[in-house]
Amino acid sequence: MSRRPTGALVGVAAGAVTLAVAEIGAALLVRGGLEGGTASPLVAVAEAFVDLTPPWLKDFAIGTFGTYDKLALVIGMVLVLTGLCALIGLVGASRAKPLKRSVEGARNPNISWGLAAFALVGVIGVTAVASRPDFAWPDVVPTVVGTIAGLVTLDRLWSRLAEAGAERLDTEPGVMGAGAASRRAVLAWGGGLTVVGALGVLAGRTLSRAGEVVEAARAQLGRLRVQRPVTVPEAASQRVPGQTAYLTPAEEFYRIDTAISVPQVDPDTWRLRVTGMVDREIEMTFQDILDEELVEALVTLTCVSNYVGGNLAGNGLWTGLPVREVLARAGVQEGADMVLSTSVDGFTAGTPLEAMTDDRNALLAVAQNREALLAEHGFPVRLVVPGLYGYVSATKWVTELKVTRFDQDEGYWTPRGWSALGPIKTASRIDVPRPGERVPAGAVVIAGVAWAQHRGIRRVEVRIGDGDWQEATLAEEPTIDSWRQWMLTWQAEPGEYSVTVRATDGTGEVQTEERAYPAPDGATGWHTVTVMVEGS
Ligand SMILES: Nc1nc2c(c(=O)[nH]1)N[C@H]1C(S)=C(S)[C@@H](COP(=O)(O)O)O[C@H]1N2
Ligand SMILES: [Mo]
């Protein structure tokens, strides 16, 4: 390989060394309980990026990558970083002008430029780390040490490469001289360090995931005291093959949040604080909550970023303490109209006070489908508020409820272009047949789910081609807070058809046909799929 690719590889190797040192260092901080906010530069940069994401980009990312949006972001980030390091590697490896080095031993100024550029990337990493909520000074140590290790790597390998270049000038053309041999040594070092560095990054990321915390709590959850256990009626499920199950298994529940690395919260040190416009502040431990009489509720969560026909919705059986009871104990003061909930990772949601205090089941949930919350769904405690999109209500890893006013505070997504209020819009979805599916002529079952949380679903209608609306059969609705299954059997003749669905909510309002994007307050429009009916 010639000088240029070798130079690029040197840059990439230095980047890999930096990240390996930083990620392993960050993992040690986590393990030692010394991490304040986020010590991992990779996670910090990605999270800072998410914080700065405008709504159109969030929309695009979720629309394109769905719940893989974060994976896509991290992969994109690693690609950009690799390119940047390669570029810096090229700079330091390029010869200074004039071409021949004049004074023996004089340092190539390009090396200094390269080192400065690399240090600047390190500074960006440190800045991102320092921008994270709960930041503490030890958090920057891994990135600083990693950057220094990267600079040393660059300096050593670039000098070696420069020597190889100088040696080559003394060698006869066509003869494999000392220059080529030392360049190969640089190549070997560069390749080796890149591989070791990449493995180090993986090791660091793996090491930082605590994982044990949830296990500890499952034992504690064994003795949940539930006031009126909720059972899911058989009739809530129509069991059409391919139709969305009434209750969503926790492992299959959609996941949306700004956390690049799932917060690992120790239930023993976790606290919930109730603050703001209250007569007395309250602090509760996880055990305090478990000691209460808990309530169960079936609630379908929905993300405001869901497109028509999308799958960013899931139905859970949640067990928790009603928020209204906690607020009543704290004593809400006159004039308050919002509860700002905060998560360990800095995310906030602004929820109308009324939704937290009226008779609906707004819960501080500790269990989903009777099991401790999964870490990615908010362990140990999250909010669940029927009828509101997740971004204004469903705070995971919740640590604070601040009673406040909409004219004084705002949730995370509001200054980023999303509405302060987020009531869920009526939606209906065709699960089967799948879009573009070919089905044999005869009886074809069309089925799906519809939701209008806290208003309920009164009617679902299906239209085939431009025919009349036909009323679908509804499954039982155990609560107006969850979605409702529907189905319709169609005697299909061969041909190509568009199948459209619309729902009517519990107030009698028909789902609007008007198309709207998810931003700023949720998508609207009817879901349509095309079906090919084949003759026999
Ligand atoms: N801490 C935290 N909680 C959060 C979010 C977040 O980014 N951070 N996102 C909210 C959004 S936008 C949605 S739609 C729901 C999704 O909850 P789930 O991931 O359990 O399905 O969580 C809400 N709670
Ligand atoms: Mo969301």
Side-chain angles (χ1 to χ4, degrees), residues 318 430 484:
W318 309 94
I430 300 167
R484 189 166 196 180

Side-chain angles (χ1 to χ4, degrees), residues 14 18 142 204 218 223 251 301 354 399 427 441 455 515:
T18 298
R218 286 205 193 278
R223 29 199 182 92
E251 296 75 23
L301 295 186
E354 201 196 330
T399 55
R455 297 186 301 280
R515 284 257 157 191

Side-chain angles (χ1 to χ4, degrees), residues 254-258 303 343 345 347 377 382 394 396-397:
Y254 79 97
R255 175 189 163 201
I256 293 287
D257 53 61
T258 58
C303 183
S343 156
D345 65 351
F347 171 87
H377 292 297
R382 76 168 304 166
K396 304 190 270 191
W397 318 288

Side-chain angles (χ1 to χ4, degrees), residues 411-486:
Y412 180 91
W413 285 110
T414 305
R416 292 170 172 82
W418 298 80
S419 293
L421 298 178
I424 296 175
K425 297 177 179 175
T426 303
S428 51
R429 182 175 76 201
I430 300 167
D431 295 330
V432 281
R434 316 289 308 167
E437 191 173 326
R438 294 172 179 280
V439 295
V444 172
V445 179
I446 306 169
V449 288
W451 62 79
Q453 290 93 312
H454 211 57
R455 297 186 301 280
I457 292 292
R458 178 179 296 177
R459 188 181 311 121
V460 171
E461 296 160 292
V462 176
R463 187 177 65 186
I464 291 153
D466 45 20
D468 293 333
W469 287 104
Q470 305 177 46
E471 200 156 332
T473 306
L474 297 176
E476 195 177 298
E477 186 177 59
T479 158
I480 56 170
D481 295 336
S482 70
W483 57 22
R484 189 166 196 180
Q485 291 189 342
W486 59 266

Side-chain angles (χ1 to χ4, degrees), residues 360-426:
R360 82 185 79 188
N361 285 313
L363 298 181
L364 283 157
V366 295
Q368 178 176 5
N369 302 348
R370 297 247 168 75
E371 302 233 22
L373 298 177
L374 295 175
E376 56 266 39
H377 292 297
F379 178 85
V381 181
R382 76 168 304 166
L383 281 171
V384 171
V385 184
L388 305 180
Y389 286 120
Y391 81 107
V392 289
S393 68
T395 304
K396 304 190 270 191
W397 318 288
V398 64
T399 55
E400 185 182 344
L401 301 179
K402 178 184 176 193
V403 179
T404 177
R405 297 179 51 86
F406 274 98
D407 59 18
Q408 277 168 21
D409 276 300
E410 53 186 5
Y412 180 91
W413 285 110
T414 305
R416 292 170 172 82
W418 298 80
S419 293
L421 298 178
I424 296 175
K425 297 177 179 175
T426 303

